[in-house]
Amino acid sequence: MDDIPLGALGIYTYAQKFKIGMSQIMAGSRNFSFKSVSRKDLMSLTPEASEVSGIPYVMEAYRDEAWDILLE
Protein backbone atom coordinates (compact mmCIF):
# COMPACT_ATOMS: atom_id res chain seq x y z
CA MET A 1 0.00 0.00 0.00
CA ASP A 2 2.92 2.37 0.54
CA ASP A 3 3.66 2.43 -3.21
CA ILE A 4 0.13 3.44 -4.26
CA PRO A 5 -0.40 7.24 -4.52
CA LEU A 6 -3.24 8.63 -2.41
CA GLY A 7 -4.75 10.35 -5.47
CA ALA A 8 -4.97 7.04 -7.33
CA LEU A 9 -6.78 5.51 -4.37
CA GLY A 10 -9.23 8.44 -4.37
CA ILE A 11 -9.94 8.12 -8.09
CA TYR A 12 -10.43 4.35 -7.75
CA THR A 13 -12.84 4.83 -4.82
CA TYR A 14 -14.83 7.48 -6.71
CA ALA A 15 -15.04 5.26 -9.80
CA GLN A 16 -16.31 2.34 -7.71
CA LYS A 17 -18.98 4.48 -6.05
CA PHE A 18 -20.03 5.84 -9.45
CA LYS A 19 -20.22 2.29 -10.84
CA ILE A 20 -22.42 1.09 -7.98
CA GLY A 21 -24.68 4.14 -8.27
CA MET A 22 -25.12 3.67 -12.00
CA SER A 23 -25.84 -0.03 -11.48
CA GLN A 24 -28.59 0.84 -9.01
CA ILE A 25 -30.09 3.48 -11.31
CA MET A 26 -30.00 1.09 -14.25
CA ALA A 27 -31.60 -1.75 -12.28
CA GLY A 28 -34.30 0.56 -10.91
CA SER A 29 -35.24 1.80 -14.36
CA ARG A 30 -34.94 -1.70 -15.90
CA ASN A 31 -32.14 -0.65 -18.25
CA PHE A 32 -29.56 -3.39 -18.26
CA SER A 33 -27.13 -1.85 -20.73
CA PHE A 34 -25.54 1.56 -20.39
CA LYS A 35 -26.60 2.54 -23.92
CA SER A 36 -30.29 2.24 -23.01
CA VAL A 37 -30.15 4.80 -20.17
CA SER A 38 -31.50 8.21 -21.17
CA ARG A 39 -32.07 11.54 -19.44
CA LYS A 40 -35.76 10.62 -19.15
CA ASP A 41 -34.78 7.83 -16.74
CA LEU A 42 -33.23 10.33 -14.31
CA MET A 43 -34.75 12.80 -11.83
CA SER A 44 -33.20 15.73 -9.96
CA LEU A 45 -33.60 15.71 -6.19
CA THR A 46 -33.59 19.50 -5.83
CA PRO A 47 -35.15 22.28 -7.89
CA GLU A 48 -31.72 23.90 -8.21
CA ALA A 49 -30.21 20.76 -9.72
CA SER A 50 -33.14 20.60 -12.11
CA GLU A 51 -32.53 24.15 -13.30
CA VAL A 52 -28.83 23.54 -13.88
CA SER A 53 -29.10 20.12 -15.53
CA GLY A 54 -32.41 20.34 -17.35
CA ILE A 55 -33.42 17.00 -15.79
CA PRO A 56 -36.97 17.15 -14.33
CA TYR A 57 -37.39 17.73 -10.59
CA VAL A 58 -38.55 14.59 -8.80
CA MET A 59 -41.88 16.18 -7.78
CA GLU A 60 -42.60 17.19 -11.38
CA ALA A 61 -41.29 14.18 -13.28
CA TYR A 62 -44.08 12.04 -14.75
CA ARG A 63 -46.69 14.32 -13.14
CA ASP A 64 -48.89 14.42 -16.26
CA GLU A 65 -48.81 10.65 -16.67
CA ALA A 66 -49.73 10.17 -13.00
CA TRP A 67 -52.69 12.57 -13.27
CA ASP A 68 -53.91 10.78 -16.40
CA ILE A 69 -53.90 7.47 -14.51
CA LEU A 70 -55.64 8.95 -11.46
CA LEU A 71 -58.34 10.68 -13.49
CA GLU A 72 -59.27 7.62 -15.55
Side-chain angles (χ1 to χ4, degrees):
M1 280 302 286
D2 293 336
D3 296 336
I4 300 174
L6 192 56
L9 185 60
I11 290 173
Y12 175 78
T13 303
Y14 174 77
Q16 288 294 62
K17 288 185 180 287
F18 185 78
K19 175 186 168 196
I20 297 299
M22 283 304 298
S23 296
Q24 291 175 346
I25 288 171
M26 289 169 61
S29 64
R30 302 293 189 251
N31 293 314
F32 297 106
S33 71
F34 192 71
K35 291 180 181 179
S36 66
V37 177
S38 70
R39 292 176 68 88
K40 189 169 169 105
D41 296 321
L42 304 174
M43 293 178 226
S44 297
L45 296 179
T46 63
E48 293 83 9
S50 177
E51 290 175 15
V52 171
S53 66
I55 296 172
Y57 178 49
V58 69
M59 298 302 289
E60 297 169 356
Y62 300 110
R63 178 180 284 179
D64 295 335
E65 292 90 343
W67 276 115
D68 290 344
I69 291 169
L70 290 171
L71 296 176
E72 284 183 359

